[in-house]
Amino acid sequence: LQVEESAVSLWNWTVTKHTGAVISDEQRAKLRFVACRLICLCEGSDPPEGTIRRQILMSMKTGKGWIDIGKAGLADGFLENAMNSIEKLYAKLRKGSEGEADIQGHRADVEKSLFKVLSYQAESAVAQGDFQKAVMCVQRCKDMLMKLPKETCYLSILCYNFGVETYEWKRYEQSSFWLSQSYDIGKMDMKYSVGKEMQAKVLRLLATTYFEWDCSLYLDKALKAISLANQENLHPAGFFLKVKILLKSGASDEDIKSALAEFTHFDMSLDFCLNTAKLLLEHGRESVGFDFLKSVPERFESSPDLGKITLLHIEFLLQNKRELLAKQKIEEVIIGHYTGKQLLPEALNQLHIILWDRAAKHYEEKSYSEALHWYNYSVSFYTPGQIDQNLAKLQRNMASCYLHLKQIDKAKEAIKQAERCDPNSIFTKFSVYKIAVLENDTDKAMEAVIEMGKLAEKPSEHEDKLRVDKNTGSNLLSLAAQIALENDQQIVAIKALEYLSEHLQDCRQLFTSLKCLVRLMLSKIMAENSEKRDEDINSILTYLNLAHKKLAESFTEEKFTGDMRILEAHWFRKVAWNLAVQFKDSPEKMRDFFVLSFKLSQFCPSDKAVLIAQKTCLLMAAAVDLEMGRQQVTPSEQTELFSQALQHLQTCKEIWKVLKLTGDFATDPTDTLLLLYEFEARSKLNDPTLHNLMESVWEQPQIEIKTLEIIASLAMEPPAWYPALCKKALKSALNLHRKQAVIDAVKFSKCLHSLINISLPTGLTDLDTCVLQEVWDYFEDALSVVSSTDAYPEMEILWLMTRAWNTGIFQYTVGKYKEAEQWCGLGMRFLSHLGSLKKTYE
């Protein structure tokens, strides 16, 4: 009992909340479902009449709720329960009846519920596509109408709704059945009928169903249905459909005229009459169509929309290639425009569209004079001095025709009028540009391109939205560049392409534009003197930097594939490489192009060729930075250049590590160059990590003499000052010289010369004994080599003799006589090895 009470409370709560729109239809269906199931669970073996009636009501409404939210499959069980409960109720009532009259009363009472359940079952069956079940349910309902005549209207509309649904699903056979049933049911009881208007509506849809199903097969049925519909209730839609069916059936003009005559006195709107005329003319019934069209003005003499009739007449004259008659009509409208018979603004706009379309058609066919004729019709409706954006477009279109006809002056006049009406239009500027290019007026063309570029950045708010979109500026600039190139206006083309490159969104178009710019600028540079060249080289750098930027951004564009990106990157990196080589006389430009080539190559697969190119680019960039740093520049500039070189070298070292894994590079000098460049950069930056770098160098077994000598030289090259490193490098080099199978006396002499210079500075007298002993050993080494070969340079021998002698003299001046004697004696030992100079110094 408590569960039953809860179920009833839930049901009642659902009803009240739905009335206030607190819960949705689906929520209501679910709550009813729960309440109804609970009630069913509480059913006893012999429930009272009230309980059964409540179950019938709840099951019916629950099933209907599921149907209404599109879940007909869930409704069937509840509707079946309702049907069972109705049978129980009828049996219970009959059992308690006292006579035939009493039984008939109970039967009538039950049949109302039974009718509803059957109609709901029919709805569910249609929704689930079970046509046969739906037919059976509706037939049972139909059989019950004699006893329930008031349900005639409901059942007729239900069948109509089934017809609409199946028509929309293109199940024409089923639709025709339901609509026929709807019409037949509607005729069963005139007292409770749906009315003539609804019957006509049913028949019109039935005629439409036959028409769309198979007009040739069901033509007679379609005509019969629409004729019946028009008899029931005369309606414009029925008239229109009948004409449509007759046209489709290929009826004679006389039959169609008869159909039109049926509606002569019917009150139809002007638009409906025009649509009918249009239908006739579209089906090639010109005679009937134009006759009907001519009769329309008489019916709407006072209508301000009479111009629509004229427009339709003009349109169909043009469609049927009767231009001469159309022109006569248009000229009549122009005369009327200036004699008080103006078209309404909407009709006038439509006429302008017709005129422009016809002009555009002739323009496409290259009949420019004829196109101008139609444009002039349009101009006729504007007053002198009128400012209108459409007039500006019209004048631009006319200017294009004049240009094709080589009538430049008329084109200029048309554009002048366009500028007056719409001076801030990119289309107007483009027209000015075209004329300037054709007249070879470079200055004016450049001015127009610049204006176009500015307008492309911020399209005018007043421009026609149908014509100006985000690509309009780009498209016009692209066309401008093409026109300039076709007319040998290279400078103008470059300017147009520069603006284009700034605004293009499509990656493929952008890279095509940049390639064209690079090629054009290169040909321009080749023809220029050196004074103008720098600016143009900078422009090419700008183009390549933009290419690099767009390649980086292109990863977000789906249409620009990875293969496309690689192809573009290869093209631009190779161009940058070639330009770096070409402009070797300009170190800074060469460096910038090499750096760019490296950056662009990063979008390419890292195969061996690309890695070699990357390594070379960075080495060259570092070399240029070092060379520029050696020049007379400020300390801050030097620091920046050396730091920049160091960055290039660090990246290069990483690439070189990878590259060495791809093959044998035993003879490649890259390791040596990296070492020397890094040593120079760090030494001139006074980098504290320099000594760590050199520790790894001293440990290298295969280091070359030349490398050590360069390190020694760089260690003392300003602003570097590392005498200890210099000395160590020279000593290592000298040791390697000694280890040679045959000592190269010339190279040995130079190395020894540098080592003695760094170890024994000129002019110092107070020298440490250890230092003197070390230097003494170097002189002894020199004597040893000099004694063993005649290839030792005489000037170097002279220098050694002089240096030893002077060292002795310095010792003498400070009172170190013994040391002085030793050093002077050492110098004398070199005297005997002099050649032609020996007598001079003896």
Side-chain angles (χ1 to χ4, degrees):
L1 184 64
Q2 191 174 359
V3 172
E4 187 176 359
E5 287 176 359
S6 298
V8 172
S9 297
L10 176 61
W11 182 275
N12 293 336
W13 182 86
T14 303
V15 172
T16 57
K17 294 301 178 184
H18 184 69
T19 305
V22 176
I23 58 175
S24 67
D25 289 342
E26 186 170 359
Q27 288 171 328
R28 180 177 66 153
K30 289 178 178 177
L31 290 167
R32 279 180 166 179
F33 167 83
V34 173
C36 189
R37 290 296 295 272
L38 287 171
I39 286 292
C40 291
L41 290 171
C42 297
E43 182 183 357
S45 58
D46 185 21
E49 180 186 332
T51 300
I52 297 173
R53 288 186 182 278
R54 185 172 60 197
Q55 284 180 353
I56 293 168
L57 176 69
M58 292 175 76
S59 294
M60 282 169 56
K61 287 188 174 292
T62 303
K64 179 62 172 165
W66 285 125
I67 293 168
D68 289 343
I69 64 168
K71 296 183 177 180
L74 296 173
D76 291 345
F78 291 95
L79 296 175
E80 195 62 41
N81 287 341
M83 192 68 81
N84 294 333
S85 296
I86 289 170
E87 290 175 3
K88 285 181 185 178
L89 178 63
Y90 182 62
K92 195 172 191 66
L93 291 171
R94 188 165 181 171
K95 187 177 180 182
S97 300
E98 296 177 356
E100 186 63 31
D102 207 8
I103 291 171
Q104 291 300 325
H106 291 318
R107 181 179 292 170
D109 182 28
V110 169
E111 279 181 340
K112 288 180 182 179
S113 296
L114 180 61
F115 183 91
K116 281 286 183 188
V117 174
L118 285 168
S119 70
Y120 293 162
Q121 284 183 325
E123 276 193 73
S124 177
V126 170
Q128 295 179 74
D130 190 343
F131 178 65
Q132 293 303 324
K133 183 179 178 182
V135 170
M136 183 188 71
C137 292
V138 168
Q139 187 59 49
R140 288 183 66 184
C141 288
K142 194 175 175 182
D143 293 340
M144 297 168 72
L145 286 177
M146 293 298 288
K147 297 176 182 178
L148 300 168
K150 290 182 180 180
E151 299 296 338
T152 302
C153 181
Y154 168 78
L155 189 59
S156 177
I157 290 172
L158 183 68
C159 288
Y160 172 74
N161 290 337
F162 292 166
V164 171
E165 283 186 49
T166 49
Y167 169 78
E168 288 173 350
W169 297 336
K170 298 189 184 302
R171 296 174 185 169
Y172 296 120
E173 186 175 1
Q174 292 180 23
S175 179
S176 64
F177 171 82
W178 291 121
L179 293 168
S180 297
Q181 287 290 308
S182 177
Y183 177 65
D184 291 342
I185 292 166
K187 292 190 298 180
M188 286 176 68
D189 192 318
M190 298 310 294
K191 185 179 177 181
Y192 299 106
S193 173
V194 290
K196 288 182 175 295
E197 287 186 6
M198 185 63 196
Q199 286 288 72
K201 187 177 181 182
V202 171
L203 288 166
R204 284 197 297 272
L205 183 54
L206 179 58
T208 303
T209 301
Y210 284 131
F211 181 75
E212 292 186 14
W213 185 5
D214 189 336
C215 188
S216 59
L217 193 61
Y218 300 106
L219 177 64
D220 291 339
K221 288 186 176 183
L223 278 171
K224 183 181 177 182
I226 198 60
S227 297
L228 280 171
N230 291 338
Q231 288 171 20
E232 290 279 351
N233 179 47
L234 208 55
H235 189 278
F239 162 65
F240 191 80
L241 183 56
K242 184 172 183 178
V243 173
K244 197 173 178 182
I245 293 168
L246 286 170
L247 288 169
K248 185 75 173 179
S249 69
S252 67
D253 285 357
E254 290 305 316
D255 288 341
I256 293 170
K257 282 179 181 178
S258 298
L260 293 170
E262 293 174 17
F263 285 77
T264 304
H265 304 293
F266 187 76
D267 187 21
M268 293 185 289
S269 68
L270 175 59
D271 284 340
F272 186 80
C273 289
L274 292 176
N275 286 334
T276 303
K278 194 181 289 187
L279 179 68
L280 292 166
L281 293 167
E282 283 173 349
H283 281 79
R285 301 302 178 99
E286 293 178 28
S287 175
V288 182
F290 282 122
D291 285 345
F292 181 75
L293 199 57
K294 286 172 186 175
S295 71
V296 174
E298 297 172 11
R299 305 179 64 178
F300 300 96
E301 286 179 343
S302 59
S303 172
D305 278 337
L306 274 176
K308 288 183 178 180
I309 304 168
T310 307
L311 288 182
L312 186 62
H313 204 151
I314 291 168
E315 277 190 76
F316 277 97
L317 285 171
L318 290 172
Q319 282 181 22
N320 289 282
K321 299 181 180 178
R322 297 183 181 181
E323 277 203 0
L324 193 58
L325 288 173
K327 285 180 179 179
Q328 289 174 1
K329 275 279 179 190
I330 292 163
E331 286 160 11
E332 287 173 14
V333 175
I334 293 169
I335 292 167
H337 185 75
Y338 290 99
T339 55
K341 295 180 181 178
Q342 287 96 344
L343 297 175
L344 289 177
E346 185 181 345
L348 182 56
N349 285 339
Q350 187 61 35
L351 179 57
H352 278 303
I353 291 169
I354 293 169
L355 296 172
W356 286 29
D357 284 346
R358 182 55 44 168
K361 181 176 179 292
H362 284 295
Y363 185 90
E364 288 169 6
E365 293 169 355
K366 300 185 179 180
S367 301
Y368 304 115
S369 297
E370 192 60 28
L372 281 167
H373 196 83
W374 288 91
Y375 282 133
N376 276 317
Y377 279 146
S378 188
V379 171
S380 301
F381 291 98
Y382 291 95
T383 57
Q386 184 177 348
I387 293 178
D388 185 279
Q389 282 199 328
N390 285 326
L391 180 57
K393 294 174 191 174
L394 184 55
Q395 294 288 359
R396 289 196 296 264
N397 292 343
M398 293 177 73
S400 294
C401 293
Y402 286 129
L403 287 174
H404 282 292
L405 294 168
K406 309 297 182 187
Q407 296 176 13
I408 303 294
D409 290 338
K410 287 186 178 181
K412 288 169 78 172
E413 182 57 34
I415 290 304
K416 189 176 178 182
Q417 293 300 320
E419 283 189 289
R420 182 180 62 81
C421 294
D422 195 4
N424 295 320
S425 166
I426 192 170
F427 296 106
T428 302
K429 297 300 178 188
F430 179 68
S431 299
V432 171
Y433 168 82
K434 279 198 294 186
I435 293 171
V437 170
L438 290 174
E439 290 191 316
N440 208 25
D441 188 342
T442 304
D443 292 339
K444 194 165 186 178
M446 286 287 281
E447 185 182 326
V449 160
I450 291 167
E451 289 295 325
M452 285 171 66
K454 290 176 181 176
L455 289 168
E457 291 173 10
K458 295 180 181 178
S460 171
E461 295 176 2
H462 309 294
E463 288 279 10
D464 184 348
K465 287 181 173 59
L466 291 175
R467 294 186 63 189
V468 176
D469 59 25
K470 61 181 181 180
N471 295 320
T472 298
S474 300
N475 293 340
L476 287 175
L477 287 166
S478 178
L479 198 52
Q482 184 180 333
I483 291 168
L485 290 171
E486 287 170 356
N487 288 273
D488 295 325
Q489 296 272 343
Q490 193 182 80
I491 296 172
V492 180
I494 288 171
K495 181 58 69 178
L497 286 167
E498 285 178 343
Y499 275 115
L500 179 62
S501 300
E502 291 174 13
H503 299 107
L504 275 174
Q505 299 299 317
D506 185 279
C507 281
R508 283 178 289 184
Q509 291 180 7
L510 171 66
F511 291 124
T512 301
S513 175
L514 287 172
K515 285 178 182 178
C516 190
L517 266 174
V518 169
R519 291 187 182 106
L520 284 173
M521 196 59 83
L522 280 173
S523 63
K524 185 169 178 272
I525 289 170
M526 294 302 110
E528 284 177 337
N529 56 41
S530 57
E531 293 176 5
K532 294 182 179 179
R533 190 173 291 179
D534 276 356
E535 187 178 337
D536 290 338
I537 293 172
N538 288 334
S539 295
I540 294 180
L541 278 167
T542 302
Y543 306 153
L544 293 176
N545 274 311
L546 181 56
H548 176 262
K549 179 186 173 188
K550 293 299 180 182
L551 281 169
E553 293 172 357
S554 68
F555 286 92
T556 57
E557 187 170 325
E558 290 181 12
K559 292 181 182 177
F560 195 69
T561 63
D563 288 341
M564 291 177 184
R565 187 180 304 107
I566 291 166
L567 283 172
E568 298 297 352
H570 273 306
W571 192 90
F572 285 105
R573 81 168 178 86
K574 288 175 183 176
V575 166
W577 173 282
N578 292 334
L579 289 170
V581 174
Q582 188 172 340
F583 298 122
K584 58 186 177 182
D585 294 334
S586 175
E588 188 174 357
K589 298 288 186 297
M590 181 171 71
R591 184 268 317 273
D592 292 343
F593 281 120
F594 272 128
V595 170
L596 259 175
S597 184
F598 164 71
K599 288 180 178 178
L600 289 161
S601 70
Q602 289 178 302
F603 298 106
C604 303
S606 297
D607 56 30
K608 188 174 181 180
V610 169
L611 288 171
I612 290 172
Q614 288 179 339
K615 177 207 72 170
T616 308
C617 285
L618 291 169
L619 276 176
M620 292 301 293
V624 173
D625 280 331
L626 292 172
E627 179 58 36
M628 289 168 66
R630 296 184 197 114
Q631 309 303 319
Q632 296 298 317
V633 291
T634 63
S636 62
E637 288 173 331
Q638 273 191 329
T639 300
E640 184 181 347
L641 287 165
F642 293 141
S643 298
Q644 204 166 263
L646 208 51
Q647 288 175 9
H648 296 325
L649 292 168
Q650 291 307 312
T651 309
C652 187
K653 283 167 80 173
E654 296 303 316
I655 292 168
W656 180 233
K657 284 179 187 175
V658 176
L659 186 57
K660 282 197 285 189
L661 300 173
T662 65
D664 182 12
F665 292 90
T667 59
D668 193 294
T670 299
D671 280 319
T672 301
L673 291 173
L674 283 170
L675 169 62
L676 293 175
Y677 290 167
E678 186 176 357
F679 178 83
E680 180 174 3
R682 291 193 186 281
S683 64
K684 290 179 179 177
L685 285 169
N686 196 24
D687 191 324
T689 63
L690 180 64
H691 290 284
N692 295 336
L693 171 69
M694 293 313 296
E695 285 305 317
S696 63
V697 173
W698 308 136
E699 294 169 6
Q700 290 181 19
Q702 302 298 325
I703 193 163
E704 295 180 358
I705 296 169
K706 184 67 177 175
T707 303
L708 290 166
E709 290 174 343
I710 294 171
I711 287 172
S713 173
L714 292 171
M716 301 302 289
E717 188 175 277
W721 177 255
Y722 291 93
L725 282 177
C726 174
K727 190 174 176 182
K728 190 167 185 178
L730 288 171
K731 286 167 80 172
S732 297
L734 199 65
N735 285 335
L736 290 175
H737 274 299
R738 290 195 194 100
K739 292 176 182 178
Q740 299 293 313
V742 178
I743 295 176
D744 187 324
V746 175
K747 291 180 179 178
F748 179 87
S749 68
K750 288 179 180 178
C751 181
L752 188 67
H753 186 126
S754 299
L755 182 57
I756 291 170
N757 257 345
I758 195 72
S759 303
L760 190 66
T762 306
L764 291 181
T765 55
D766 189 16
L767 288 169
D768 187 88
T769 305
C770 292
V771 172
L772 282 173
Q773 182 57 49
E774 181 185 341
V775 175
W776 179 278
D777 292 339
Y778 300 151
F779 277 93
E780 289 287 357
D781 282 345
L783 272 172
S784 173
V785 175
V786 168
S787 302
S788 64
T789 179
D790 295 330
Y792 208 98
E794 187 177 16
M795 294 305 295
E796 286 298 319
I797 297 172
L798 176 61
W799 181 83
L800 287 167
M801 180 190 77
T802 306
R803 197 67 203 275
W805 181 270
N806 289 341
T807 301
I809 297 301
F810 284 135
Q811 295 299 310
Y812 179 80
T813 57
V814 294
K816 296 182 178 180
Y817 303 120
K818 184 179 179 183
E819 289 83 353
E821 181 185 0
Q822 289 173 345
W823 280 97
C824 288
L826 179 62
M828 293 292 289
R829 289 163 65 186
F830 283 99
L831 181 61
S832 61
H833 297 287
L834 287 174
S836 58
L837 297 173
K838 184 178 179 182
K839 289 185 179 180
T840 306
Y841 286 93
E842 273 182 333

